[in-house]
Each structure stands twice: as C-alpha cells, then as structure tokens.
Amino acid sequence: MTDHSATARFRSLVSRRQVFRTAGVAGVAMASGLLITAPASALSDLGVQKALWGLYYYDGLRDGVVGPMTKASIREFQSDRGLVVDGWAGSITQGELVEVVMQVQAYVGAVQDGDYGNVTVSEVKDFQRRWGGLVVDGRAGGLTMSAMGITRVVSGGGGNGGGGEDTSGITVGSWNASISRSKVIDRAMFWVNNKRSYSMSSTSAGPESGKMWRKDCSAFVSMAWGTYHSDNPTGYTTWSLHPSSGYGVTRAITKSELKAGDILLITPAENGKSYGHVGIFEKWANTAKTRWVILEQAYSTGGTARRTIGYPYSPSSNSAKYKPYRYTRITG
C-alpha cells in the first residue's frame, strides 16, 4: 500500500540531511531552494518536547519544562540519530528533530515547518487509519515511520528508539503471549534479586539474554509481563500501559479483584508531573487490605525493590490517584 506522491515528497528531503546537521535550524531557514517553511529561530523547549512526543520518544507533559524525562528522551533520540549523546537539545539536535518531523509532514502532506502540532497529529492519524494495522494516535513511532518508509535509526545509531526491531506490529514469538501470574512474579524477582539502578535511558537484560529493557518503572512491568510494542521495544511507558492509550495492554479492575501480577498505576497527567509511576502487586500484607507488597523499579528506592506500602501508594501525596489494572494476557 504505497502513496507514491507522498514518497517522492519525503525523499526530496533526505538529501538535505547534511544541511540540517551542519547548519542547524537557523541555517536551514537561510538555505536556498528548500520548499519548506522553516522556523525562523531555534526550537523552544516546548517545541522540542512536542517533536519528541510526536516521534514517540517522550510521554511526559508538554509544558516547556526540561526535566529528567525530557533529557532522557533527548538522549534516546540523539543515540538513534548518531549524534553526540548529552541530553542537550542544541542546534544540531534541534535541526535533526526538525528534519525528521518534516519527513513525516512531507509524507502525509502537511506543511513542512518542523512543528509537531495539531495539524500534523491529525494528518498522521488519517494516514494511520488508511494504512490499517496501526495505532491511530497521530504519533510517528517506529511502526508508523516504517510504514512511511522513513528511517528512524540511522547507521551507527543506538537502536533503542522504537523502530529497529519489528515492522509488522505487535512482536510475535514468545513475547506478548499469555503468561501466568507466578511467571510474572518470577520474572519481576529476577531484577529484585539482581538489583538494577534506575534509569529512563539505559537498558539491562531480563531473564532472557539479549533482550534489553529500560531500567524504569514501566519497562520493569513490561519485562515482568514479557510484553512490548515495536514503537518502543525497550518497554511500554506509564502512558501506553494505560487503557486510554489505545494499546490494549491493560484493563481497569477494582481493588477487590487485585491478584499477583496486576499493577497500580498513575499516569503523568494524573500525577501532574512529567512522569508517572507503576508497580507490580505481589500480595496483601494484612487482612484489612490496607497494606500490600509492591515490586517496583523506582528512583526513590535507588532501583529495583520489594517493599510493603500503604494502599494505594502511601505515603505519596498522590496516593489516591493510583488505580489498579490488569494485563490483558495474564492467566489465572
């Protein structure tokens, strides 16, 4: 299923790569012969977040505040694009972001201005609907970019940007298959017993050698469940684990339904911050069901931990906003 006119539009941009790399955003604005609407100045911090969100590197709040999650997303993008990995969106990184966004815009027929705004989101959604088999969210993750024929991870790039492992949708094989509750706990305990430090950008192996997972809370859950999507092969995020994301990973349950292997989750939006959190339910710690044993990968605990806390997530000030969910493929 190919849109040849769209393919020609985005291919005309590929030869401009060196212009972006050497001149940055401002240099592109002065370059002659480029049929684009380039930003007259460098991207704002909000513009950087919008681009990273649109390209499926960032799932936090788009508020223009560059915190740890934004910096980690910048590092992941830089790694995939073969840039210096420093977490700083300087002119070269900004130029690369604009270039990739413009390739997406060119393919879907949107104005090529490097701004991943509402119009671009709408056009990408239209493409995803027409193509079929894609999550219709308006974001150009690995699977969508692959369908467009756009390179996500360049030669020499790090390959953790969610586009290099699978181009056919949900990964097949032993991943994303039915899994028992006891196996979920066993997989989670693999990291608990071999503690991993917390990181939203670096990865570590799970029980299977060769499969790498991000060392953050949502990827820890992904590793325990043995599930990921090709848009982000190092693990789901707290946003994409939520039923409202459209990925179909979880469904909401009640407190009384909680069993080993379920999760308690708060999304970035619910948390009012650029990040959310999620932990795996192991068991109740008392008969009153006011305390429970959590398996989690958290910054506050220095990495992987097994501990007893109050329900839902005490002593967090946002404890009441944590809700229970169940993996759609868990059995028992």
Side-chain angles (χ1 to χ4, degrees), residues 122-205:
S122 178
E123 295 291 347
V124 172
K125 282 183 177 179
D126 285 345
F127 166 79
Q128 290 167 329
R129 291 189 190 98
R130 293 194 307 269
W131 187 268
L134 299 173
V135 175
V136 180
D137 58 4
R139 302 171 71 188
L143 188 58
T144 294
M145 288 178 69
S146 176
M148 293 177 176
I150 299 175
T151 299
R152 186 175 179 88
V153 182
V154 303
S155 177
N160 284 333
E165 287 202 25
D166 179 56
T167 58
S168 60
I170 297 292
T171 306
V172 297
S174 59
W175 305 112
N176 303 297
S178 297
I179 188 170
S180 68
R181 296 184 180 279
S182 61
K183 188 172 183 180
V184 169
I185 299 302
D186 286 346
R187 291 179 62 84
M189 290 301 295
F190 179 79
W191 273 21
V192 172
N193 294 328
N194 301 273
K195 186 172 183 174
R196 268 61 168 174
S197 60
Y198 182 87
S199 173
M200 291 188 292
S201 56
S202 62
T203 58
S204 185

Side-chain angles (χ1 to χ4, degrees), residues 79-289:
S79 176
D80 279 356
R81 304 303 292 182
L83 304 176
V84 174
V85 179
D86 58 8
W88 173 253
S91 61
I92 303 301
T93 295
Q94 289 180 29
E96 192 78 359
L97 274 169
V98 169
E99 179 208 1
V100 179
V101 170
M102 285 171 54
Q103 288 184 23
V104 173
Q105 290 172 327
Y107 196 95
V108 299
V111 174
Q112 299 160 41
D113 59 3
D115 175 30
Y116 212 109
N118 292 335
V119 173
T120 300
V121 170
S122 178
E123 295 291 347
V124 172
K125 282 183 177 179
D126 285 345
F127 166 79
Q128 290 167 329
R129 291 189 190 98
R130 293 194 307 269
W131 187 268
L134 299 173
V135 175
V136 180
D137 58 4
R139 302 171 71 188
L143 188 58
T144 294
M145 288 178 69
S146 176
M148 293 177 176
I150 299 175
T151 299
R152 186 175 179 88
V153 182
V154 303
S155 177
N160 284 333
E165 287 202 25
D166 179 56
T167 58
S168 60
I170 297 292
T171 306
V172 297
S174 59
W175 305 112
N176 303 297
S178 297
I179 188 170
S180 68
R181 296 184 180 279
S182 61
K183 188 172 183 180
V184 169
I185 299 302
D186 286 346
R187 291 179 62 84
M189 290 301 295
F190 179 79
W191 273 21
V192 172
N193 294 328
N194 301 273
K195 186 172 183 174
R196 268 61 168 174
S197 60
Y198 182 87
S199 173
M200 291 188 292
S201 56
S202 62
T203 58
S204 185
E208 301 84 5
S209 61
K211 178 69 186 88
M212 306 299 286
W213 306 89
R214 285 189 328 279
K215 297 189 295 181
D216 60 25
C217 61
S218 52
F220 172 65
V221 170
S222 302
M223 182 274 293
W225 286 348
T227 186
Y228 66 94
H229 191 275
S230 58
D231 272 337
N232 205 334
T234 57
Y236 284 95
T237 65
T238 49
W239 173 80
S240 55
L241 284 175
H242 194 273
S244 65
S245 70
Y247 278 82
V249 186
T250 66
R251 63 179 179 85
I253 59 174
T254 64
K255 175 182 177 180
S256 63
E257 293 178 289
L258 274 167
K259 297 180 181 180
D262 293 331
I263 60 171
L264 274 90
L265 167 71
I266 185 172
T267 64
E270 292 167 334
N271 202 26
K273 299 179 180 178
S274 62
Y275 56 88
H277 188 56
V278 62
I280 298 172
F281 180 89
E282 182 185 351
K283 61 182 180 180
W284 291 110
N286 61 6
T287 55
K289 296 185 178 181

Side-chain angles (χ1 to χ4, degrees), residues 20-59:
F20 282 94
R21 289 235 166 173
T22 58
V25 179
V28 172
M30 295 187 296
S32 60
L34 300 183
L35 302 178
I36 60 176
T37 304
S41 60
L43 289 174
S44 65
D45 290 337
L46 177 59
V48 169
Q49 286 179 330
K50 287 167 65 179
L52 290 168
W53 177 88
L55 298 175
Y56 239 110
Y57 287 93
Y58 177 69
D59 279 315

